[in-house]
Amino acid sequence: MQGLLTVLLFCATVCVISSEKLRFQKNAQDNLKVINFNQREENSGPYEPNWDSIDSRPLPGWYDEAKFGIFIHWGVYSVPAFKTEWFWRRWKDGNPDFVNFMKDNFKPKFTYPDFGPMFTAEMFDANHFADVLQASGAQYVVLTSKHHEGFTNWGSNYSWNWNAVDMGPNRDLVAELAGAVRSRTKLKFGLYYSLFEWFHPLYLKDAGNNFTTNEYVEMVMRPQLEEIVNKYNPSVIWSDGDIGPNEYWNSTDFLAWLYNDSPVKEYVVVNDRWGKDDRCLHGGYYTCQDRYDPGVLQAHKWENCFTIDKSSWGYRRDATITDYLTMDEITQTLAETISCGGNLLLNFGPTHDGRIIPIFEERLRQTGEWLKVNGEAVYGSHPWTAQNDTLTKGVWYTTKDGFVYAFVLDWPENNSLDLGSPIPSTGTVVEMLGVKTPLQWKKSTTEGATINIAFPVLAGPQLPCDYAWVLKISMV
């Protein structure tokens, strides 16, 4: 997922509503009409194979309500497990780190497909994965069905002997996880799919013809997409690897079928990676680029996909403890993302034998424990008039059911917090989620502040959580 095309420079002018305007916007209800993505009046179909028609489809409401999902990158790249899931590409490109790794550890004529039988998944327990996903507090999960290496985690009829049923695990990994997730959790199940394959002969042939032929699309990509839709009924199709012009992929034809005639037409959501000119312009929700985090409210529903391992989406053995996100970093990114109208998709990569390493499981479970306390401010919420506070840094806002929620990333010095965005009334009540008694507040005398809130004097087990404390404010 690294090194793909740079997001279009004019995306900011198309997508972003300026933070300055939002900070001082006074009519919150008018603002909410713009940013409540589930209330848009759009076309209910049928849909034609063009972007004007495809883009008119309303985003199924479950997605915006969910706010938080888990991404799983798993494939043959978890066998070498060195630096990145782009291992094959880097090695073939002659990157010295990868060339030397292979020279030092494998026989001279070893090829990347030789890693295939070593992708064994003998320790993979789909029920355990489902239980960890449930414990994370996520509302949906997206599994890689096929990454750019072309290996499919199901027994694809269009990837002979380069799939998880024909070699390696000799198991349908997609079916096993889908079944466990649906039987043991309430999460929606989705699939990532790479449109292109680095070294597929038909793709290379089409690219060599300057994409004037489309044998790969007709004989591999389109049949595989329909295969995973009809076989696994995913709630999300997370497209990627859109290297090539829009007309080559013919994505709108597939999406018209998906929205009109497929078994998931009523509830499926898709992203924006359907051709090199489509990102941040077309699709159900926008991802724009990996780790997309604009920091200001967007006019279109979007998603921030990022990974616990800061440098790789797939599992790698060369990671050190400082390479993993802390819970402070995860909760900060979650608060920033949902305050600006986005969903957060948090990624981890299993090992070649099918395990979730302890630090990944710990982060997922810690996130779930935090959401048990603070999920009220996350699930089903919407951006407020101000996304972050006008006075105090590290304070982000959401709203739901008439309440304003303030995510306070750092415990205030002397237990005293000044805020500049909420304007209190005589009936205002301030609570901290996870604390039983309301907090004391007063009108602030600090320049630029509208309210001063006294944080409770708590220690150790009395604290509702260890990071990103959430205030619930009424009547502002």
Side-chain angles (χ1 to χ4, degrees):
M1 296 185 57
Q2 307 167 8
L4 296 180
L5 296 176
T6 304
V7 67
L8 297 174
L9 294 177
F10 58 83
C11 172
T13 60
V14 174
C15 300
V16 179
I17 299 173
S18 74
S19 58
E20 188 74 12
K21 181 178 179 180
L22 289 169
R23 284 181 187 275
F24 301 104
Q25 187 171 1
K26 304 218 175 180
N27 192 329
Q29 293 304 315
D30 286 347
N31 188 32
L32 288 176
K33 288 178 184 177
V34 175
I35 59 184
N36 187 344
F37 305 106
N38 298 333
Q39 293 181 354
R40 296 180 296 174
E41 293 183 5
E42 298 179 75
N43 181 16
S44 60
Y47 302 97
E48 300 297 325
N50 61 71
W51 280 122
D52 285 342
S53 181
I54 296 298
D55 287 342
S56 71
R57 177 182 182 255
L59 185 73
W62 73 262
Y63 179 78
D64 183 48
E65 298 288 309
K67 295 294 187 280
F68 176 51
I70 299 296
F71 216 174
I72 303 175
H73 272 67
W74 197 22
V76 174
Y77 43 83
S78 65
V79 178
F82 180 71
K83 288 191 178 294
T84 173
E85 72 287 346
W86 277 54
F87 184 95
W88 195 3
R89 178 80 267 178
R90 299 287 181 258
W91 179 27
K92 292 285 284 186
D93 286 346
N95 184 298
D97 289 342
F98 297 84
V99 171
N100 291 333
F101 176 84
M102 292 303 298
K103 181 179 178 180
D104 294 342
N105 295 287
F106 296 92
K107 60 187 180 182
K109 294 185 178 181
F110 194 94
T111 67
Y112 189 84
D114 290 332
F115 284 125
M118 302 166 68
F119 178 53
T120 50
E122 73 271 19
M123 301 293 289
F124 175 54
D125 180 352
N127 289 338
H128 175 66
F129 270 57
D131 292 345
V132 173
L133 294 170
Q134 179 74 11
S136 76
Q139 302 298 293
Y140 61 105
V141 58
V142 179
L143 170 70
T144 46
S145 64
K146 183 188 79 170
H147 200 255
H148 310 325
E149 64 187 9
F151 187 91
T152 66
N153 281 329
W154 82 100
S156 175
N157 292 325
Y158 307 94
S159 185
W160 181 80
N161 210 35
W162 190 233
N163 66 74
V165 174
D166 289 344
M167 71 185 317
N170 298 127
R171 298 160 63 178
D172 187 333
L173 302 178
V174 174
E176 289 187 31
L177 186 60
V181 166
R182 287 167 174 154
S183 65
R184 300 173 72 90
T185 80
K186 295 182 180 179
L187 278 75
K188 305 284 188 181
F189 182 79
L191 290 172
Y192 165 106
Y193 179 84
S194 174
L195 300 184
F196 88 140
E197 298 177 22
W198 287 315
F199 306 115
H200 195 292
L202 292 179
Y203 176 76
L204 295 177
K205 179 181 177 182
D206 289 344
N209 292 330
N210 200 28
F211 298 108
T212 57
T213 58
N214 63 350
E215 291 184 39
Y216 171 79
V217 172
E218 292 184 351
M219 299 178 66
V220 180
M221 186 210 83
R222 177 63 181 265
Q224 283 185 339
L225 278 171
E226 292 193 14
E227 197 173 39
I228 61 174
V229 169
N230 288 321
K231 192 169 186 178
Y232 305 110
N233 293 348
S235 295
V236 180
I237 297 179
W238 213 101
S239 178
D240 195 20
D242 48 345
I243 307 299
N246 290 7
E247 57 271 17
Y248 171 70
W249 296 114
N250 198 20
S251 296
T252 54
D253 188 73
F254 166 74
L255 293 171
W257 170 81
L258 184 73
Y259 291 168
N260 291 327
D261 301 314
S262 80
V264 297
K265 62 183 180 181
E266 300 297 334
Y267 56 82
V268 70
V269 297
V270 304
N271 65 344
D272 57 348
R273 302 186 182 193
W274 297 99
K276 72 179 183 68
D277 296 324
D278 295 336
R279 294 191 185 196
C280 231
L281 288 175
H282 299 296
Y285 61 90
Y286 296 164
T287 61
C288 299
Q289 61 190 17
D290 294 348
R291 302 175 179 87
Y292 181 60
D293 188 7
V296 293
L297 184 64
Q298 303 295 287
H300 190 96
K301 185 64 188 180
W302 61 282
E303 182 180 76
N304 178 0
C305 62
F306 77 124
T307 183
I308 298 174
D309 179 346
K310 301 173 188 177
S311 298
S312 178
W313 297 84
Y315 168 71
R316 63 186 178 107
R317 295 176 291 169
D318 55 316
T320 64
I321 191 65
T322 58
D323 291 324
Y324 299 111
L325 292 175
T326 65
M327 278 305 300
D328 280 316
E329 292 170 316
I330 290 172
T331 51
Q332 175 181 338
T333 306
L334 176 60
E336 292 176 357
T337 298
I338 64 174
S339 294
C340 296
N343 277 20
L344 189 73
L345 190 63
L346 181 64
N347 176 80
F348 75 93
T351 62
H352 79 281
D353 56 2
R355 292 174 293 115
I356 307 173
I357 64 171
I359 196 166
F360 287 156
E361 181 167 344
E362 180 182 53
R363 290 292 183 271
L364 296 177
R365 291 186 181 276
Q366 287 173 324
T367 303
E369 288 301 312
W370 184 86
L371 283 165
K372 284 181 182 178
V373 175
N374 301 298
E376 173 185 336
V378 175
Y379 308 124
S381 67
H382 302 288
W384 188 46
T385 305
Q387 280 60 71
N388 54 323
D389 195 65
T390 55
L391 177 71
T392 300
K393 293 182 178 180
V395 178
W396 295 83
Y397 295 104
T398 63
T399 186
K400 185 172 71 174
D401 298 333
F403 296 99
V404 172
Y405 296 92
F407 295 76
V408 182
L409 302 182
D410 298 305
W411 193 275
E413 187 176 353
N414 299 321
N415 299 328
S416 178
L417 177 69
D418 280 319
L419 297 177
S421 295
I423 301 175
S425 66
T426 55
T428 293
V429 176
V430 180
E431 302 171 82
M432 178 179 287
L433 297 185
V435 175
K436 293 181 179 179
T437 56
L439 307 188
Q440 297 296 312
W441 68 269
K442 61 184 179 181
K443 291 187 176 181
S444 179
T445 58
T446 302
E447 183 178 356
T450 56
I451 186 172
N452 175 268
I453 301 170
F455 268 45
V457 179
L458 302 172
Q462 295 177 313
L463 287 168
C465 53
D466 295 323
Y467 16 73
W469 299 269
V470 179
L471 304 179
K472 181 180 181 179
I473 310 172
S474 64
M475 303 292 287
V476 292

